[in-house]
Amino acid sequence: MSFASLPMASTVVDSILFRDAFGTAPMRALFSDVALIQRYIDAEIALARAEAKVGVIPADAAEVIARQSRIERIDFDHMRHETDIVGYPILPLVHQLVAMCGDAGRYVHWGATTQDIMDTAVALQVRDALDLVDAEIRDLRGILADLARKHRDTPMAGRTHLQQALPVTFGYKVAIWLAMFDRHQQRLAELRPRVAVVEFAGAAGTLASLGDKGFEVQAAMAEELKLGVPATTWHVARDGFAEAVNLLALVTGSLGKIALDIMIMASTEFAEVYEPFVKGRGASSTMPQKRNPISSELMLAASKAVRQHAGLMVDAMVQDFERATGPWHAEWIAIPESFILTAGALHQAKFALGGLIVDEARMKHNLGISRGLIVAEAVMMGMAPYIGRQQAHDVVYDACRTVNEKGGTLAEALVALPEVTAHFDRAAIDRLTDPANYLGLAPRMVDRALALSAQARG
């Protein structure tokens, strides 16, 4: 590609450098200018066919509109110039469609308003974009299920407040990730019928321009486009689109949580997991030893950006009267970018988790660095039936202080206490202080999560 032919992109979603890091080609194509204008044309054709079906306009006029309204005949430079003047793209588009359709052109955009066409086009985009997100989540759930199953019994340190707390398994950690995305897929299915609806209501939303044919046209147009019919006009009721972007914020928020876990566990001091090895990926320009968790970093960045757009969409819900004076425009920024960033983050997650390198030996090593203190609760609960819960707590507390102040292991400190050896021999103490023997129901929680996820996948 020569310098002269370089595109003029100025954001990461279209940048020749960053677009594949922050998005995917299918999602970018869905929200491209050409795809959006095609959706405008689809909405205008569907409107004409619907109106012909119920006798509002002549059937032959609708046929001409459907046949002649072709995106390859659009003068995009002229449409851009006129949009700059008008402020909206529909009147400039209608001017060109009217010219394309000859005498039938008089029936283009009959009874509609600009926002009808634009909202319907975006509803079509969102419907199809949700299909892409749905497929990506489904793939990711399969990857997470395999990872949880494989590491059902792989012990590692569970951490709270970034301190070792109790032993868990890596499969248990992954099962928690899996359950989040099971819920996201359920949310997506529930959301779809609320957002994939037609908008056709006329100037102030009352369908006054079509007399008593308004509802019939609306229903026929929805059928043409395979969209639902809303209860009322939603020109200024933006909860559907706001819900869609806030769902994306939940999805990317979960990806951000996974990314943060991976990045910390991949740090030199933890060294428990690594993103898949690809020569040169994550390399530093100055430090040859570096292997940065690039996919996780991109997932985290996307989660932060989509969260901001989710707030913008909620803010844009506050609209005045029957047609807003500006909040609507904010959606034009937030919706495409949120879907593209979400698709990119899901793609990065599939790569990172699909080939995640898990160092089980390092997890076992880290589980032992507390010299048994991580299972202090296990020892306390094991002793409680013999000497009482509080007495057991005090004995183990003293043993932990000995380890912290004088070194050695918890098992060695316990062996030196008569209150302990009166009830437990060294073999029993070793069993009590082995972290692998205090996993609670973590492995069985993995089983339950896998069963529920498989059931949800049908």
Side-chain angles (χ1 to χ4, degrees):
M1 182 180 291
S2 68
F3 178 80
S5 64
L6 286 175
M8 297 294 289
S10 56
T11 67
V12 294
V13 296
D14 290 317
S15 163
I16 61 170
L17 296 177
F18 301 118
R19 64 188 179 199
D20 292 327
F22 283 97
T24 63
M27 194 65 88
R28 283 197 306 274
L30 203 160
F31 284 99
S32 69
D33 280 341
V34 171
L36 180 59
I37 294 169
Q38 181 61 62
R39 290 305 198 190
Y40 294 156
I41 295 172
D42 293 343
E44 293 286 6
I45 291 172
L47 173 60
R49 284 175 167 161
E51 290 176 331
K53 184 176 181 180
V54 302
V56 171
I57 70 172
D60 58 349
E63 290 176 10
V64 172
I65 292 169
R67 184 171 63 250
Q68 298 298 330
S69 299
R70 306 279 292 278
I71 193 167
E72 57 268 25
R73 300 172 66 185
I74 294 292
D75 182 336
F76 290 100
D77 284 337
H78 183 68
M79 186 173 173
R80 175 185 54 79
H81 175 72
E82 199 174 354
T83 297
D84 285 342
I85 296 170
V86 176
Y88 302 95
I90 301 306
L91 183 58
L93 174 67
V94 169
H95 285 163
Q96 295 197 40
L97 296 183
V98 168
M100 290 177 200
C101 296
D103 288 342
R106 74 184 70 180
Y107 296 108
V108 171
H109 200 65
W110 191 269
T113 193
T114 287
Q115 193 171 347
D116 288 338
I117 303 304
M118 292 184 69
D119 279 351
T120 296
V122 176
L124 291 168
Q125 285 183 309
V126 169
R127 179 195 66 188
D128 294 346
L130 288 173
D131 287 342
L132 294 181
V133 172
D134 185 77
E136 292 285 88
I137 291 176
R138 196 171 299 278
D139 289 346
L140 181 59
R141 288 169 62 207
I143 291 169
L144 290 172
D146 290 343
L147 199 58
R149 188 177 297 107
K150 180 179 180 180
H151 292 285
R152 174 189 187 271
D153 301 306
T154 301
M156 67 175 295
R159 299 173 176 100
T160 62
H161 302 275
L162 288 179
Q163 308 293 308
Q164 288 199 2
L166 290 176
V168 297
T169 72
F170 185 59
Y172 162 83
K173 180 185 289 287
V174 177
I176 292 172
W177 300 345
L178 171 62
M180 290 192 293
F181 283 92
D182 289 343
R183 293 190 290 272
H184 292 326
Q185 195 127 47
Q186 182 181 19
R187 291 181 179 110
L188 195 154
E190 293 168 349
L191 157 72
R192 194 187 304 275
R194 290 193 287 271
V195 70
V197 293
V198 74
E199 175 69 292
F200 175 66
T206 63
L207 286 166
S209 61
L210 295 183
D212 61 357
K213 297 286 189 179
F215 282 155
E216 293 178 69
V217 172
Q218 188 184 68
M221 183 179 176
E223 185 178 2
E224 286 282 340
L225 296 169
K226 295 181 173 57
L227 291 172
V229 177
T232 62
T233 302
W234 50 280
H235 287 153
V236 287
R238 313 308 289 181
D239 55 291
F241 286 161
E243 183 182 8
V245 175
N246 275 266
L247 170 62
L248 301 182
L250 293 179
V251 170
T252 54
S254 292
L255 292 175
K257 185 273 184 289
I258 293 173
L260 186 59
D261 279 0
I262 291 175
M263 286 188 288
I264 295 175
M265 288 194 292
S267 64
T268 305
E269 290 76 12
F270 283 70
E272 293 176 340
V273 301
Y274 298 97
E275 291 185 3
F277 176 76
V278 175
K279 187 175 181 179
R281 184 169 178 82
S284 165
S285 63
T286 59
M287 296 171 284
Q289 83 278 11
K290 293 294 292 297
R291 185 172 163 187
N292 298 322
I294 297 301
S295 289
S296 295
E297 292 175 6
L298 292 167
M299 290 156 60
L300 186 61
S303 74
K304 294 176 181 293
V306 176
R307 180 184 66 195
Q308 295 299 315
H309 282 325
L312 178 60
M313 290 296 293
V314 172
D315 190 36
M317 292 176 65
V318 184
Q319 304 208 0
D320 46 293
F321 297 108
E322 282 65 56
R323 189 63 52 84
T325 50
W328 181 43
H329 300 62
E331 297 179 357
W332 308 354
I333 304 167
I335 292 174
E337 288 191 7
S338 296
F339 273 101
I340 293 170
L341 290 168
T342 300
L346 285 166
H347 175 74
Q348 296 294 339
K350 287 167 58 179
F351 170 79
L353 293 163
L356 193 69
I357 298 167
V358 180
D359 190 334
E360 297 181 32
R362 181 66 182 214
M363 288 180 173
K364 183 177 181 180
H365 168 79
N366 288 346
L367 196 52
I369 62 175
S370 72
R371 294 166 295 174
L373 298 188
I374 194 171
V375 286
E377 182 189 72
V379 176
M380 179 188 74
M381 295 307 295
M383 292 177 57
Y386 299 93
I387 63 175
R389 193 265 180 203
Q390 189 58 44
Q391 178 65 14
H393 177 278
D394 294 342
V395 168
V396 176
Y397 180 81
D398 289 340
C400 291
R401 286 189 62 192
T402 298
V403 173
N404 285 326
E405 294 171 4
K406 299 180 180 180
T409 68
L410 181 59
E412 291 167 348
L414 291 169
V415 166
L417 298 175
E419 306 100 303
V420 178
T421 55
H423 303 284
F424 301 94
D425 60 18
R426 179 58 191 258
I429 290 171
D430 286 342
R431 285 194 299 274
L432 278 175
T433 54
D434 183 352
N437 293 329
Y438 199 62
L439 297 173
L441 297 179
R444 288 170 59 186
M445 285 187 188
V446 175
D447 296 338
R448 184 168 68 180
L450 288 171
L452 290 171
S453 186
Q455 180 181 336
R457 286 197 298 270

